[in-house]
Amino acid sequence: LFPSHDIRRNLSTTMWYRTQNGSNYVFDTFNAQSGVGTSNNNNDLIPVTGDIAPMQAFWVRALAGGGLLTFNNSMRLHQDQTIATNRLKLPAQNGLLQQILRLQVSNGVTRDETILLFNPNVTNGYDDYDSPKMSNSNNLIPEIFTIINQERIVINGLNSVVGNSELPLGFTTGESNTFIIKATEIKNFDNDMEILLRDNELNIETNLAETSGYTFFSNPVIDSKRFSLLFKTATTPTSNLW
């Protein structure tokens, strides 16, 4: 989607588009800087890429002053995506192995994702590796996210995993229901790193790498501070990552 700067000017590095999950339409997000995409659609949990299907509408965000995005025929791609070997994979990041934590919240029918990626080229503040969240605005779809500068983030790029640190995890729902939060991808982390989901309301910690997920009940809530992610090594006290 995002080619050289002579045809993409003053735009963010994020693309959003609507996809269908059952009878519900959801937003999927692709961050071109990191090559990471969500998998909220119903495509066997395969993350989206920067490829845009024919007739597919999509959103980009212009920076202050307005932006420019131009397409030409050289950007067209013809591959049968029903063939697994044709599906684009996460591109290499200059030889670096990005650490990726993909989290999913579900009510058993609908689901939503947030992604944390760690890369030494990234800052812990807002930069091109961060993608704001487009809310589904649907009470039947729970949502999770992190926050930078009071903005909800769906793909959050951070510089490195700091052992014994804590990151707030936002959660919203428009219905009373039972939900589950689980890690669907934990990639390139050190073996001694524990990734814990902490329920601050019930004071429960769950190791996401060792369980199938954390099940809980919630009434309708907006911007809940109920959950945190903890990255723990050895026995050093926990500090705030964010």
PDB file of all heavy atoms in Angstrom, residues 161-183:
ATOM      1  N   VAL A 161      11.649  -4.989  25.283  1.00  0.00           N
ATOM      2  CA  VAL A 161      10.942  -5.560  26.422  1.00  0.00           C
ATOM      3  C   VAL A 161      11.771  -5.299  27.669  1.00  0.00           C
ATOM      4  O   VAL A 161      12.891  -5.791  27.791  1.00  0.00           O
ATOM      5  CB  VAL A 161      10.740  -7.082  26.248  1.00  0.00           C
ATOM      6  CG1 VAL A 161       9.963  -7.638  27.437  1.00  0.00           C
ATOM      7  CG2 VAL A 161      10.012  -7.379  24.963  1.00  0.00           C
ATOM      8  N   VAL A 162      11.230  -4.509  28.561  1.00  0.00           N
ATOM      9  CA  VAL A 162      11.924  -4.217  29.809  1.00  0.00           C
ATOM     10  C   VAL A 162      11.426  -5.195  30.862  1.00  0.00           C
ATOM     11  O   VAL A 162      10.251  -5.221  31.204  1.00  0.00           O
ATOM     12  CB  VAL A 162      11.665  -2.764  30.260  1.00  0.00           C
ATOM     13  CG1 VAL A 162      12.382  -2.481  31.571  1.00  0.00           C
ATOM     14  CG2 VAL A 162      12.116  -1.794  29.180  1.00  0.00           C
ATOM     15  N   GLY A 163      12.328  -6.039  31.354  1.00  0.00           N
ATOM     16  CA  GLY A 163      11.925  -7.012  32.353  1.00  0.00           C
ATOM     17  C   GLY A 163      11.363  -6.353  33.594  1.00  0.00           C
ATOM     18  O   GLY A 163      11.831  -5.289  34.017  1.00  0.00           O
ATOM     19  N   ASN A 164      10.321  -6.939  34.158  1.00  0.00           N
ATOM     20  CA  ASN A 164       9.671  -6.463  35.371  1.00  0.00           C
ATOM     21  C   ASN A 164       9.060  -5.076  35.172  1.00  0.00           C
ATOM     22  O   ASN A 164       9.298  -4.139  35.924  1.00  0.00           O
ATOM     23  CB  ASN A 164      10.673  -6.461  36.527  1.00  0.00           C
ATOM     24  CG  ASN A 164      11.345  -7.807  36.663  1.00  0.00           C
ATOM     25  OD1 ASN A 164      10.695  -8.800  36.932  1.00  0.00           O
ATOM     26  ND2 ASN A 164      12.638  -7.842  36.389  1.00  0.00           N
ATOM     27  N   SER A 165       8.286  -4.964  34.089  1.00  0.00           N
ATOM     28  CA  SER A 165       7.593  -3.722  33.770  1.00  0.00           C
ATOM     29  C   SER A 165       6.111  -4.005  33.559  1.00  0.00           C
ATOM     30  O   SER A 165       5.699  -5.150  33.391  1.00  0.00           O
ATOM     31  CB  SER A 165       8.197  -3.076  32.520  1.00  0.00           C
ATOM     32  OG  SER A 165       8.144  -3.962  31.430  1.00  0.00           O
ATOM     33  N   GLU A 166       5.307  -2.941  33.570  1.00  0.00           N
ATOM     34  CA  GLU A 166       3.853  -3.081  33.493  1.00  0.00           C
ATOM     35  C   GLU A 166       3.299  -2.102  32.474  1.00  0.00           C
ATOM     36  O   GLU A 166       3.732  -0.954  32.380  1.00  0.00           O
ATOM     37  CB  GLU A 166       3.230  -2.830  34.868  1.00  0.00           C
ATOM     38  CG  GLU A 166       1.716  -2.990  34.897  1.00  0.00           C
ATOM     39  CD  GLU A 166       1.150  -2.925  36.315  1.00  0.00           C
ATOM     40  OE1 GLU A 166       1.965  -2.839  37.270  1.00  0.00           O
ATOM     41  OE2 GLU A 166      -0.072  -2.954  36.462  1.00  0.00           O
ATOM     42  N   LEU A 167       2.331  -2.571  31.687  1.00  0.00           N
ATOM     43  CA  LEU A 167       1.694  -1.756  30.657  1.00  0.00           C
ATOM     44  C   LEU A 167       0.184  -1.857  30.796  1.00  0.00           C
ATOM     45  O   LEU A 167      -0.366  -2.959  30.768  1.00  0.00           O
ATOM     46  CB  LEU A 167       2.120  -2.247  29.270  1.00  0.00           C
ATOM     47  CG  LEU A 167       1.505  -1.543  28.054  1.00  0.00           C
ATOM     48  CD1 LEU A 167       2.105  -0.155  27.919  1.00  0.00           C
ATOM     49  CD2 LEU A 167       1.756  -2.343  26.787  1.00  0.00           C
ATOM     50  N   PRO A 168      -0.537  -0.740  30.949  1.00  0.00           N
ATOM     51  CA  PRO A 168      -2.000  -0.790  31.030  1.00  0.00           C
ATOM     52  C   PRO A 168      -2.614  -1.322  29.740  1.00  0.00           C
ATOM     53  O   PRO A 168      -2.140  -1.033  28.635  1.00  0.00           O
ATOM     54  CB  PRO A 168      -2.401   0.668  31.259  1.00  0.00           C
ATOM     55  CG  PRO A 168      -1.165   1.323  31.797  1.00  0.00           C
ATOM     56  CD  PRO A 168      -0.017   0.624  31.140  1.00  0.00           C
ATOM     57  N   LEU A 169      -3.681  -2.119  29.886  1.00  0.00           N
ATOM     58  CA  LEU A 169      -4.407  -2.691  28.756  1.00  0.00           C
ATOM     59  C   LEU A 169      -5.860  -2.259  28.854  1.00  0.00           C
ATOM     60  O   LEU A 169      -6.551  -2.601  29.811  1.00  0.00           O
ATOM     61  CB  LEU A 169      -4.304  -4.219  28.769  1.00  0.00           C
ATOM     62  CG  LEU A 169      -5.007  -4.980  27.642  1.00  0.00           C
ATOM     63  CD1 LEU A 169      -4.323  -4.695  26.310  1.00  0.00           C
ATOM     64  CD2 LEU A 169      -5.006  -6.484  27.919  1.00  0.00           C
ATOM     65  N   GLY A 170      -6.325  -1.485  27.868  1.00  0.00           N
ATOM     66  CA  GLY A 170      -7.699  -1.005  27.885  1.00  0.00           C
ATOM     67  C   GLY A 170      -8.677  -2.063  27.413  1.00  0.00           C
ATOM     68  O   GLY A 170      -8.365  -2.899  26.565  1.00  0.00           O
ATOM     69  N   PHE A 171      -9.897  -2.033  27.961  1.00  0.00           N
ATOM     70  CA  PHE A 171     -10.946  -2.980  27.586  1.00  0.00           C
ATOM     71  C   PHE A 171     -12.279  -2.255  27.594  1.00  0.00           C
ATOM     72  O   PHE A 171     -12.585  -1.481  28.507  1.00  0.00           O
ATOM     73  CB  PHE A 171     -10.986  -4.145  28.578  1.00  0.00           C
ATOM     74  CG  PHE A 171     -12.233  -4.995  28.485  1.00  0.00           C
ATOM     75  CD1 PHE A 171     -12.429  -5.857  27.420  1.00  0.00           C
ATOM     76  CD2 PHE A 171     -13.228  -4.905  29.463  1.00  0.00           C
ATOM     77  CE1 PHE A 171     -13.575  -6.634  27.327  1.00  0.00           C
ATOM     78  CE2 PHE A 171     -14.379  -5.667  29.385  1.00  0.00           C
ATOM     79  CZ  PHE A 171     -14.556  -6.538  28.310  1.00  0.00           C
ATOM     80  N   THR A 172     -13.097  -2.490  26.555  1.00  0.00           N
ATOM     81  CA  THR A 172     -14.447  -1.925  26.507  1.00  0.00           C
ATOM     82  C   THR A 172     -15.433  -2.993  26.053  1.00  0.00           C
ATOM     83  O   THR A 172     -15.079  -3.898  25.296  1.00  0.00           O
ATOM     84  CB  THR A 172     -14.547  -0.727  25.536  1.00  0.00           C
ATOM     85  OG1 THR A 172     -14.387  -1.199  24.190  1.00  0.00           O
ATOM     86  CG2 THR A 172     -13.508   0.326  25.829  1.00  0.00           C
ATOM     87  N   THR A 173     -16.669  -2.859  26.509  1.00  0.00           N
ATOM     88  CA  THR A 173     -17.755  -3.696  26.020  1.00  0.00           C
ATOM     89  C   THR A 173     -19.062  -2.949  26.214  1.00  0.00           C
ATOM     90  O   THR A 173     -19.215  -2.189  27.175  1.00  0.00           O
ATOM     91  CB  THR A 173     -17.813  -5.056  26.736  1.00  0.00           C
ATOM     92  OG1 THR A 173     -18.944  -5.790  26.237  1.00  0.00           O
ATOM     93  CG2 THR A 173     -17.958  -4.897  28.242  1.00  0.00           C
ATOM     94  N   GLY A 174     -20.004  -3.176  25.308  1.00  0.00           N
ATOM     95  CA  GLY A 174     -21.313  -2.556  25.422  1.00  0.00           C
ATOM     96  C   GLY A 174     -22.370  -3.501  25.945  1.00  0.00           C
ATOM     97  O   GLY A 174     -23.557  -3.163  25.965  1.00  0.00           O
ATOM     98  N   GLU A 175     -21.961  -4.710  26.382  1.00  0.00           N
ATOM     99  CA  GLU A 175     -22.910  -5.696  26.865  1.00  0.00           C
ATOM    100  C   GLU A 175     -22.378  -6.396  28.104  1.00  0.00           C
ATOM    101  O   GLU A 175     -21.166  -6.439  28.350  1.00  0.00           O
ATOM    102  CB  GLU A 175     -23.181  -6.749  25.782  1.00  0.00           C
ATOM    103  CG  GLU A 175     -21.951  -7.557  25.413  1.00  0.00           C
ATOM    104  CD  GLU A 175     -22.257  -8.774  24.561  1.00  0.00           C
ATOM    105  OE1 GLU A 175     -23.449  -9.065  24.327  1.00  0.00           O
ATOM    106  OE2 GLU A 175     -21.293  -9.461  24.152  1.00  0.00           O
ATOM    107  N   SER A 176     -23.274  -6.941  28.883  1.00  0.00           N
ATOM    108  CA  SER A 176     -22.895  -7.807  30.005  1.00  0.00           C
ATOM    109  C   SER A 176     -22.691  -9.208  29.459  1.00  0.00           C
ATOM    110  O   SER A 176     -23.578  -9.773  28.822  1.00  0.00           O
ATOM    111  CB  SER A 176     -23.996  -7.812  31.073  1.00  0.00           C
ATOM    112  OG  SER A 176     -24.165  -6.526  31.631  1.00  0.00           O
ATOM    113  N   ASN A 177     -21.507  -9.775  29.705  1.00  0.00           N
ATOM    114  CA  ASN A 177     -21.207 -11.073  29.117  1.00  0.00           C
ATOM    115  C   ASN A 177     -19.964 -11.652  29.773  1.00  0.00           C
ATOM    116  O   ASN A 177     -19.294 -10.989  30.567  1.00  0.00           O
ATOM    117  CB  ASN A 177     -20.986 -10.943  27.607  1.00  0.00           C
ATOM    118  CG  ASN A 177     -21.325 -12.219  26.845  1.00  0.00           C
ATOM    119  OD1 ASN A 177     -21.316 -13.315  27.411  1.00  0.00           O
ATOM    120  ND2 ASN A 177     -21.634 -12.075  25.568  1.00  0.00           N
ATOM    121  N   THR A 178     -19.665 -12.884  29.414  1.00  0.00           N
ATOM    122  CA  THR A 178     -18.421 -13.533  29.800  1.00  0.00           C
ATOM    123  C   THR A 178     -17.451 -13.430  28.638  1.00  0.00           C
ATOM    124  O   THR A 178     -17.817 -13.666  27.483  1.00  0.00           O
ATOM    125  CB  THR A 178     -18.659 -15.002  30.162  1.00  0.00           C
ATOM    126  OG1 THR A 178     -19.540 -15.065  31.287  1.00  0.00           O
ATOM    127  CG2 THR A 178     -17.351 -15.692  30.526  1.00  0.00           C
ATOM    128  N   PHE A 179     -16.203 -13.062  28.935  1.00  0.00           N
ATOM    129  CA  PHE A 179     -15.203 -12.819  27.905  1.00  0.00           C
ATOM    130  C   PHE A 179     -13.947 -13.625  28.209  1.00  0.00           C
ATOM    131  O   PHE A 179     -13.729 -14.077  29.338  1.00  0.00           O
ATOM    132  CB  PHE A 179     -14.848 -11.328  27.846  1.00  0.00           C
ATOM    133  CG  PHE A 179     -16.034 -10.429  27.639  1.00  0.00           C
ATOM    134  CD1 PHE A 179     -16.732  -9.918  28.731  1.00  0.00           C
ATOM    135  CD2 PHE A 179     -16.464 -10.092  26.372  1.00  0.00           C
ATOM    136  CE1 PHE A 179     -17.843  -9.097  28.550  1.00  0.00           C
ATOM    137  CE2 PHE A 179     -17.568  -9.271  26.184  1.00  0.00           C
ATOM    138  CZ  PHE A 179     -18.253  -8.772  27.272  1.00  0.00           C
ATOM    139  N   ILE A 180     -13.108 -13.765  27.191  1.00  0.00           N
ATOM    140  CA  ILE A 180     -11.804 -14.394  27.377  1.00  0.00           C
ATOM    141  C   ILE A 180     -10.751 -13.556  26.668  1.00  0.00           C
ATOM    142  O   ILE A 180     -10.961 -13.091  25.548  1.00  0.00           O
ATOM    143  CB  ILE A 180     -11.778 -15.853  26.864  1.00  0.00           C
ATOM    144  CG1 ILE A 180     -10.429 -16.496  27.158  1.00  0.00           C
ATOM    145  CG2 ILE A 180     -12.127 -15.942  25.391  1.00  0.00           C
ATOM    146  CD1 ILE A 180     -10.389 -17.990  26.915  1.00  0.00           C
ATOM    147  N   ILE A 181      -9.636 -13.320  27.356  1.00  0.00           N
ATOM    148  CA  ILE A 181      -8.469 -12.670  26.765  1.00  0.00           C
ATOM    149  C   ILE A 181      -7.371 -13.715  26.663  1.00  0.00           C
ATOM    150  O   ILE A 181      -7.059 -14.400  27.640  1.00  0.00           O
ATOM    151  CB  ILE A 181      -7.989 -11.473  27.607  1.00  0.00           C
ATOM    152  CG1 ILE A 181      -9.043 -10.356  27.609  1.00  0.00           C
ATOM    153  CG2 ILE A 181      -6.667 -10.930  27.058  1.00  0.00           C
ATOM    154  CD1 ILE A 181      -8.678  -9.176  28.486  1.00  0.00           C
ATOM    155  N   LYS A 182      -6.784 -13.849  25.471  1.00  0.00           N
ATOM    156  CA  LYS A 182      -5.715 -14.826  25.293  1.00  0.00           C
ATOM    157  C   LYS A 182      -4.662 -14.277  24.342  1.00  0.00           C
ATOM    158  O   LYS A 182      -4.918 -13.330  23.572  1.00  0.00           O
ATOM    159  CB  LYS A 182      -6.265 -16.141  24.758  1.00  0.00           C
ATOM    160  CG  LYS A 182      -6.937 -16.058  23.405  1.00  0.00           C
ATOM    161  CD  LYS A 182      -7.507 -17.422  23.015  1.00  0.00           C
ATOM    162  CE  LYS A 182      -8.244 -17.377  21.683  1.00  0.00           C
ATOM    163  NZ  LYS A 182      -8.808 -18.689  21.321  1.00  0.00           N
ATOM    164  N   ALA A 183      -3.483 -14.870  24.399  1.00  0.00           N
ATOM    165  CA  ALA A 183      -2.408 -14.533  23.470  1.00  0.00           C
ATOM    166  C   ALA A 183      -2.459 -15.510  22.308  1.00  0.00           C
ATOM    167  O   ALA A 183      -2.301 -16.718  22.500  1.00  0.00           O
ATOM    168  CB  ALA A 183      -1.057 -14.600  24.171  1.00  0.00           C
TER     169      ALA A 183
END
